[in-house]
Amino acid sequence: MTEGGASAFEGVERGPQTSREPAYKEGEESTEGPGHPSVSALQEKFGSAILRTEVQAGDQHVVFAEAPRNCEILEWLRDDPGQRYDLLADLTAVDHGGGRPLQVVYQLWSMTHKRALRVKCEVDLDALVIESVVRLWETANWLEREVYDLFGIDFEGHPDLRRILMPQNYEEGHPLRKDFPLCGRFSRAEQTKRALSQDYRNDYSVVEIALGGTPALPPTEADGLSADSGEGFVTAARGAPGEPMTESVLEASDPDLDSEHMLINIGPQHPATHGVLRLICELDGETVVKVTPDIGFLHTSFEKLGEYRTWNQIVPLTDRIDYLAPLIYNCVYVMTVEKLMGLQVTERCKVVRVLCMEMERIFSHLLWLGTTAIDVGAFTPFLYAFQERERIYKLHESFTGARITTSATRVGGMMADLPDGWTDSLRDFVKTFPNTLDEIDSLLTTNGIHLGRTLDVGVISGEDAINCGFTGPNLRASGVDYDLRRDKPYYDSDTYDFDVPVGENGDCYDRYLVRMEEMRQSLRILEQALERLPGGPINVADPRVSLPSKTDCMNDMESMIHHFKLITEGISVPAGDCYFAVEGSKGELGMYVVSGGGEKPVRWRIRPPSFVNLSVIHKLAEGHLVSDLIMINASLDIVLGEIDR
Amino acid sequence: MGLSDGDPGDSVEAERISEALALGHSGGHKGGLLGAGGPTFLTTKVDFVVNWARRNSLWPMPFGTACCAIEMMASAASNFDLARFGMERMSFSPRQADVLICAGRVPYKLAPVLRRIWDQMMQPKWCVSMGACASSGGVFDTYSMVQGIDTIIPVDVYVPGCPPRPEGLIYGLMMIQEKIRCETLAEHSELRAETSEMVGRPAANADEVEALSGPFGNSTQQDRLAALAQTQRPSRSEDLLP
Amino acid sequence: MSGSYIPLLILFGVSVVNALGMGIASHVLNPRRPTPQKDMPYESGMIPLGDTRFRFSVKFYMVAISFIVFDLETIFLLPWAVEMRALGWGAFAAVSIFVTVLALGLVYEWKKGGLEWD
């Protein structure tokens, strides 16, 4: 849809939300909130390189560092014994719009001291360059590629800086910038035409083409290209960003042209990749020499779309990100916004959300179990798991009306209270589900074939796992005891009596065992939460978010106006930013929202656990057989909707 | 679906419907293969047998991307069971598939893959667009999403929903079966039209893509077809299925 | 004696007619629309690189040759097994020697690591 045309959606198409006011005032430092040892240590050590500090959302400390010294500061934060921020939870960027500099945001977490810190570095629009932190945290590899792709910031020293979510020949620009229109710069017909060009050079890097050989279908005249060089439109071949594919690039990359290795694609259309994932494998017979994941085949631009939606309108979008555990996403999103607003929900709402999240964990793990088993040939657990999932679908449906796309939460509460009998159905599920779980357990856990496929396959050590950004069951299987329910508690999660299963070897079998045990522990939490479920209202009666009752509206002008404004404009969230994470079924599921004080977010960032978990598949799978690659991919429990967003 | 009637009166309706359907497909010169005068007893019987065999042994190609894929998996699982339609054998290779079920949202990066899979499927082939995102772009009118896969491949049945319930998908598949039942070998060349030039190109030309992708009327009249010129969609006063 | 072969011939005839019939019916009834994209090898929706006439890794050869040897052993054992009683002890001894030789070969291959992929 082109801009300026007569549109029925004028309000929506006015453009993405930009900050109405700067998120801070020059020279002003907010000093409320508890002190943070790292902040004071940083100021002491680096002095003028720390431009400012602030406290957001009550207790989140943010440090603004000088962009040229970001690596130095972050390295000190990672290595100094008093700081030890060994987990890079998230790396993203924010465009506030209006010509303001872009902010590169680093979310850090220290496993040893159990502290979080946010570091921001500002880069000017005319000099979008900053040093890469890949050498500090392997996590940053894909995260920086994503920031490059969506914002256009160059990361110096990055080993492989090229687009990750958009196609390699994408020419419309960098989508998450504020001057980029929602529907893209080209017309739909042009986008369709470009998308359907049969040019294999968009899909493979220079080295891969040299290794693989001639394509089965060279591009034709009709594609607007000639077979030898980039005429028609320039394909940014993947030697380096912007560098066209020429003979010299081919020579410089020095491929082993005589190699007997085979180059194949697994996916994107494949039953065993758990979604539209493409793995480009270099094989020596059956052994995987090198595997490169290619993602972006499901990139739906949720984050851009969020900038055009009011705070509550984003909730239906959250279901569709991780469609295997929609309620967790519904919950974490509103929890982030509520934290930014400083809004406390009711006790009943807290317990209901805990019920929903733990139920979703089982829901998601059941699908993981079914599909992983079917990947290695065990069909029965798939059927059993799906039969159990049907019971949870019924629970979803009776509560929210939808099986998958639940949209159950709102800022300040839930869409509705639990229907009568829902807790009884859930209690019934909790009582009978262990039977099926035991049965699947007996089929797989001591099964010789399953053991043979999973023992010592895809091993990763604990320190590597932390450095690569693993979280969730994958990290725990490698021996690292980190669970956000216990370490960054929310909704009294640390008051529930449950164990956190931790593995030893970090292989596929341990990941399997950890998830099986997690399902049992979730059942324990569900039982306890069902006991604790208090009565009372489900939605908080806070005028910022709650609609007045109908009787009030009919009788009282102020209530009528309040209702009207909340419906037509949406709720309004004060300026600031907030990062909030929960223990999702796949790992640390975080959301980072930046508000400019308006009814729509300036930036909505989803910290996707699967994205970070998948980025290290090459480490896990190289040297194994192709069938092991499939098992490793399955054991990471990825969901492409979350990876590609 | 059991062996139903095969009386001559049925074939006239079948011919009318298939004529209407055939004109909606890409390509299309008229002219039957088995005689210009009309269907004979023998051709009707052959049609009946061929269509019966085809529609009861459809092998779906599940092109599942997102949430709709999960509902498709649920349809194939024990509770809703596609096996009773002869569709339990999900074919992930296009060479062995009959019906492509595009379940889920399709970004432009995935569009060539979808097109290639469609091109690699053998005739006869049909396509089901499952869900709002595959049918029209759904909630996602953004820079990266295809606004309906019918701009890329020809679609036979659209199943609305976000995601459609498994019953909805099954209804859509039954509609495909109904469509196949009404086909005739006399219209072979139109129904199975596919040439090298058409392959790989978008199914809709530039104007159609723009019209299909833009907003359609005001929000109370959500009929995207109203924006286009008259189409040949068949007008049925009553639904064919009970 | 010849009567016992008639069912065999009928079976043979029916299977040939069946196979040919299905082939011919498909040929006549089914549409043929070859296009370059259809003839391209399928690789999960991407354009595959390289020729299918490929120098395969020698490890596949090892697996294939082991399979052939032991599969042929089975094929040789089957007719003997059908007429085991009629053939008597002489044939049993011969077959035992045959199986022992191949079993020794299997042990040798096992020890040499021929059964491992690498």
Side-chain angles (χ1 to χ4, degrees):
Chain A
M1 213 187 93
T2 52
E3 283 179 336
S7 154
F9 304 101
E10 279 287 355
V12 170
E13 292 312 320
R14 210 179 294 129
Q17 185 70 26
T18 55
S19 289
R20 290 190 189 165
E21 48 191 83
Y24 57 89
K25 308 260 187 306
E26 276 297 342
E28 196 180 288
E29 282 181 28
S30 65
T31 48
E32 326 93 55
H36 195 296
S38 302
V39 172
S40 32
L42 273 172
Q43 280 170 322
E44 231 176 80
K45 177 144 173 86
F46 290 98
S48 62
I50 305 298
L51 302 170
R52 356 181 355 271
T53 65
E54 31 177 62
V55 178
Q56 293 286 354
D59 57 0
Q60 301 195 348
H61 289 259
V62 185
V63 168
F64 283 76
E66 251 178 23
R69 294 182 69 182
N70 71 328
C71 245
E72 199 191 319
I73 294 171
L74 289 168
E75 188 163 9
W76 181 79
L77 280 171
R78 186 192 68 162
D79 296 333
D80 182 66
Q83 320 308 323
R84 296 293 298 148
Y85 287 97
D86 40 7
L87 181 69
L88 177 67
D90 195 16
L91 195 169
T92 183
V94 182
D95 182 359
H96 285 272
R100 276 169 280 219
L102 301 189
Q103 292 177 340
V104 179
V105 182
Y106 303 88
Q107 306 282 2
L108 302 173
W109 172 258
S110 166
M111 294 273 184
T112 28
H113 302 295
K114 305 236 185 302
R115 279 203 298 260
L117 185 66
R118 194 176 311 146
V119 178
K120 287 194 187 179
C121 298
E122 290 193 334
V123 278
D124 287 316
L125 283 177
D126 47 8
L128 285 176
V129 179
I130 193 172
E131 203 184 331
S132 161
V133 298
V134 173
R135 66 180 177 84
L136 300 175
W137 294 283
E138 195 55 40
T139 325
N141 194 325
W142 274 24
L143 290 170
E144 285 180 348
R145 276 180 68 184
E146 185 185 327
V147 172
Y148 164 70
D149 187 4
L150 299 176
F151 286 92
I153 298 177
D154 250 314
F155 288 89
E156 279 177 341
H158 193 284
D160 183 22
L161 195 66
R162 50 194 167 95
R163 286 192 184 268
I164 189 167
L165 294 175
M166 304 309 296
Q168 294 305 316
N169 62 333
Y170 192 67
E171 284 181 19
E172 295 176 53
H174 299 281
L176 277 180
R177 298 278 287 277
K178 292 297 183 187
D179 55 354
F180 189 92
L182 179 62
C183 296
R185 295 212 160 98
F186 297 158
S187 68
R188 290 292 185 198
E190 179 66 22
Q191 288 175 337
T192 314
K193 177 170 146 281
R194 279 169 183 251
L196 291 184
S197 90
Q198 306 272 3
D199 188 5
Y200 66 95
R201 287 170 298 178
N202 298 334
D203 302 326
Y204 297 97
S205 70
V206 170
V207 174
E208 285 159 1
I209 293 173
L211 173 67
T214 49
L217 202 73
T220 61
E221 292 294 321
D223 290 304
L225 313 146
S226 62
D228 26 55
S229 74
E231 285 173 351
F233 59 87
V234 174
T235 44
R238 293 161 24 164
E243 201 180 329
M245 181 170 109
T246 58
E247 279 305 316
S248 56
V249 174
L250 210 60
E251 280 158 21
S253 54
D254 190 25
D256 185 2
L257 290 165
D258 238 347
S259 156
E260 293 198 26
H261 296 173
M262 191 160 69
L263 191 82
I264 63 163
N265 287 292
I266 300 181
Q269 191 276 319
H270 196 278
T273 50
H274 295 250
V276 278
L277 167 67
R278 177 181 174 220
L279 296 166
I280 308 169
C281 303
E282 188 184 326
L283 296 180
D284 171 22
E286 277 278 299
T287 318
V288 174
V289 171
K290 185 158 174 255
V291 60
T292 317
D294 184 12
I295 60 174
F297 290 96
L298 197 57
H299 177 60
T300 324
S301 52
F302 281 100
E303 297 180 359
K304 180 85 180 174
L305 198 51
E307 295 168 14
Y308 289 75
R309 298 279 177 268
T310 63
W311 297 96
N312 272 325
Q313 282 176 336
I314 292 178
V315 176
L317 293 178
T318 56
D319 304 317
R320 286 137 174 99
I321 306 173
D322 180 359
Y323 30 85
L324 305 178
L327 283 169
I328 298 187
Y329 262 83
N330 291 156
C331 288
V332 71
Y333 167 70
V334 294
M335 283 158 85
T336 315
V337 179
E338 283 157 8
K339 187 163 170 70
L340 182 54
M341 291 176 80
L343 189 72
Q344 281 293 326
V345 291
T346 62
E347 287 306 312
R348 184 173 171 83
C349 181
K350 285 185 187 169
V351 181
V352 168
R353 285 185 185 171
V354 167
L355 281 174
C356 288
M357 287 197 274
E358 291 309 316
M359 185 176 73
E360 288 307 89
R361 192 183 315 281
I362 298 176
F363 191 55
S364 171
H365 284 347
L366 276 172
L367 185 114
W368 158 81
L369 185 59
T371 50
T372 304
I374 207 172
D375 279 350
V376 299
F379 191 61
T380 313
F382 170 80
L383 293 173
Y384 288 176
F386 266 73
Q387 198 55 22
E388 290 302 318
R389 275 174 61 93
E390 284 295 327
R391 299 174 64 187
I392 301 185
Y393 275 139
K394 286 200 174 59
L395 286 169
H396 282 177
E397 209 179 359
S398 58
F399 180 24
T400 65
R403 284 158 57 98
I404 292 183
T405 48
T406 47
S407 305
T409 55
R410 302 285 182 267
V411 178
M414 308 290 281
M415 62 178 278
D417 205 339
L418 297 174
D420 292 333
W422 195 86
T423 45
D424 296 327
S425 308
L426 183 59
R427 215 170 261 124
D428 185 49
F429 173 80
V430 169
K431 236 195 311 262
T432 54
F433 174 63
N435 299 332
T436 315
L437 195 56
D438 289 336
E439 194 157 345
I440 301 178
D441 208 355
S442 69
L443 285 174
L444 289 176
T445 308
T446 45
N447 182 318
I449 299 175
H450 185 244
L451 284 168
R453 292 295 300 266
T454 53
L455 273 179
D456 293 324
V457 171
V459 178
I460 185 165
S461 70
E463 302 89 57
D464 274 345
I466 299 175
N467 194 266
C468 295
F470 263 27
T471 48
N474 293 327
L475 182 62
R476 291 194 281 279
S478 295
V480 179
D481 192 3
Y482 173 57
D483 185 323
L484 279 108
R485 288 172 290 181
R486 201 194 43 211
D487 299 329
K488 267 202 240 179
Y490 48 90
Y491 291 173
D492 308 319
S493 51
D494 50 347
T495 61
Y496 289 92
D497 180 28
F498 71 104
D499 301 316
V500 176
V502 177
E504 283 169 359
N505 302 327
D507 57 6
C508 290
Y509 188 61
D510 274 358
R511 291 193 271 272
Y512 161 82
L513 287 175
V514 164
R515 289 196 182 95
M516 291 295 276
E517 189 55 34
E518 268 189 18
M519 282 197 265
R520 296 186 202 277
Q521 297 302 320
S522 285
L523 287 171
R524 283 176 70 184
I525 300 178
L526 281 173
E527 263 169 32
Q528 291 166 52
L530 281 167
E531 290 307 304
R532 307 191 178 189
L533 184 64
I538 189 107
N539 291 331
V540 71
D542 188 313
R544 291 177 287 173
V545 296
S546 313
L547 295 173
S549 69
K550 283 289 180 187
T551 25
D552 283 348
C553 288
M554 295 301 143
N555 293 325
D556 179 16
M557 195 54 183
E558 281 76 22
S559 298
M560 167 77 93
I561 295 172
H562 184 200
H563 191 282
F564 180 78
K565 283 182 81 70
L566 276 179
I567 295 285
T568 52
E569 289 176 357
I571 68 174
S572 141
V573 173
D577 57 319
C578 178
Y579 175 78
F580 189 81
V582 300
E583 181 68 27
S585 52
K586 316 259 181 307
E588 173 173 338
L589 170 57
M591 296 244 173
Y592 175 60
V593 290
V594 178
S595 169
E599 287 90 37
K600 301 179 188 168
V602 168
R603 174 85 171 99
W604 169 40
R605 155 77 181 167
I606 303 150
R607 189 266 178 199
S610 310
F611 182 86
V612 180
N613 292 346
L614 184 64
S615 62
V616 285
I617 197 171
H618 61 94
K619 267 206 176 96
L620 296 172
E622 277 163 13
H624 287 291
L625 304 177
V626 174
S627 42
D628 293 332
L629 170 65
I630 301 295
M631 185 67 220
I632 292 167
N633 189 31
S635 76
L636 288 179
D637 195 11
I638 55 172
V639 58
L640 265 297
E642 184 177 82
I643 294 179
D644 289 340
R645 284 154 288 128
Chain B
M1 306 189 100
L3 294 175
S4 56
D5 53 291
D7 56 283
D10 207 42
S11 63
V12 176
E13 228 222 348
E15 202 198 7
R16 185 178 66 76
I17 290 174
S18 58
E19 180 187 41
L21 290 170
L23 290 171
H25 267 274
S26 50
H29 57 277
K30 282 206 48 97
L33 193 69
L34 299 172
T40 64
F41 174 75
L42 186 65
T43 58
T44 323
K45 283 299 171 204
V46 169
D47 278 340
F48 174 74
V49 171
V50 167
N51 292 339
W52 172 83
R54 280 180 180 168
R55 72 173 184 268
N56 288 317
S57 65
L58 285 172
W59 282 6
M61 162 96 196
F63 194 88
T65 48
C67 346
C68 284
I70 308 300
E71 283 296 48
M72 187 168 59
M73 284 157 68
S75 312
S78 323
N79 222 10
F80 297 98
D81 200 18
L82 282 180
R84 52 200 166 120
F85 295 96
M87 294 186 204
E88 83 234 323
R89 200 278 192 190
M90 298 263 166
S91 161
F92 287 93
S93 163
R95 311 280 191 222
Q96 298 162 9
D98 299 308
V99 59
L100 175 81
I101 305 179
C102 183
R105 48 194 190 250
V106 176
Y108 283 114
K109 190 168 178 180
L110 193 58
V113 176
L114 176 61
R115 182 75 212 187
R116 236 169 262 135
I117 299 279
W118 176 254
D119 291 338
Q120 287 176 338
M121 280 171 72
M122 303 291 158
Q123 290 284 4
K125 57 188 178 186
W126 296 271
C127 175
V128 175
S129 157
M130 176 184 179
C133 295
S135 305
S136 70
V139 236
F140 305 112
D141 190 0
T142 66
Y143 58 86
S144 62
M145 299 307 289
V146 171
Q147 299 297 298
I149 60 171
D150 50 4
T151 55
I152 299 175
I153 58 178
V155 174
D156 292 291
V157 169
Y158 300 84
V159 182
C162 192
R165 282 189 62 103
E167 288 97 330
L169 174 64
I170 289 172
Y171 188 83
L173 289 169
M174 285 170 75
M175 283 182 89
I176 287 267
Q177 289 185 325
E178 181 62 30
K179 192 168 187 182
I180 297 172
R181 188 178 78 81
C182 299
E183 284 184 354
T184 165
L185 290 173
E187 301 294 323
H188 220 189
S189 41
E190 293 91 44
L191 288 173
R192 309 273 93 89
E194 188 176 20
T195 64
S196 310
E197 298 85 50
M198 275 171 9
V199 159
R201 302 276 82 80
N205 64 37
D207 295 327
E208 278 178 331
V209 170
E210 287 306 319
L212 290 171
S213 307
F216 31 89
N218 63 42
S219 60
T220 60
Q221 277 181 13
Q222 305 227 335
D223 177 12
R224 67 193 289 181
L225 292 175
L228 292 176
Q230 273 303 307
T231 61
Q232 303 296 328
R233 59 182 170 150
S235 55
R236 291 197 284 248
S237 55
E238 53 192 89
D239 207 301
L240 284 175
L241 290 174
Chain C
M1 251 338 234
S2 62
S4 62
Y5 284 109
I6 301 286
L8 198 64
L9 280 172
I10 294 173
L11 174 65
F12 204 66
V14 166
S15 53
V16 167
V17 165
N18 205 16
L20 281 179
M22 283 200 283
I24 292 170
S26 306
H27 211 254
V28 164
L29 291 172
N30 281 352
R32 252 175 319 285
R33 307 276 183 273
T35 64
Q37 281 80 1
K38 234 183 250 193
D39 294 333
M40 190 168 79
Y42 165 72
E43 202 166 295
S44 308
M46 307 305 298
I47 297 176
L49 292 178
D51 209 0
T52 43
R53 307 213 185 307
F54 195 87
R55 260 194 329 206
F56 274 93
S57 167
V58 71
K59 296 173 190 165
F60 287 113
Y61 167 79
M62 282 307 305
V63 174
I65 206 74
S66 309
F67 168 74
I68 292 290
V69 168
F70 294 105
D71 195 43
L72 285 176
E73 172 186 357
T74 315
I75 290 173
F76 282 133
L77 284 177
L78 276 173
W80 168 77
V82 169
E83 291 296 318
M84 193 173 68
R85 291 195 188 282
L87 290 172
W89 287 105
F92 179 75
V95 163
S96 303
I97 295 169
F98 175 63
V99 169
T100 314
V101 168
L102 282 170
L104 286 172
L106 174 64
V107 170
Y108 174 74
E109 190 181 358
W110 193 338
K111 290 293 174 206
K112 277 289 183 181
L115 294 178
E116 299 289 322
W117 175 258
D118 290 317

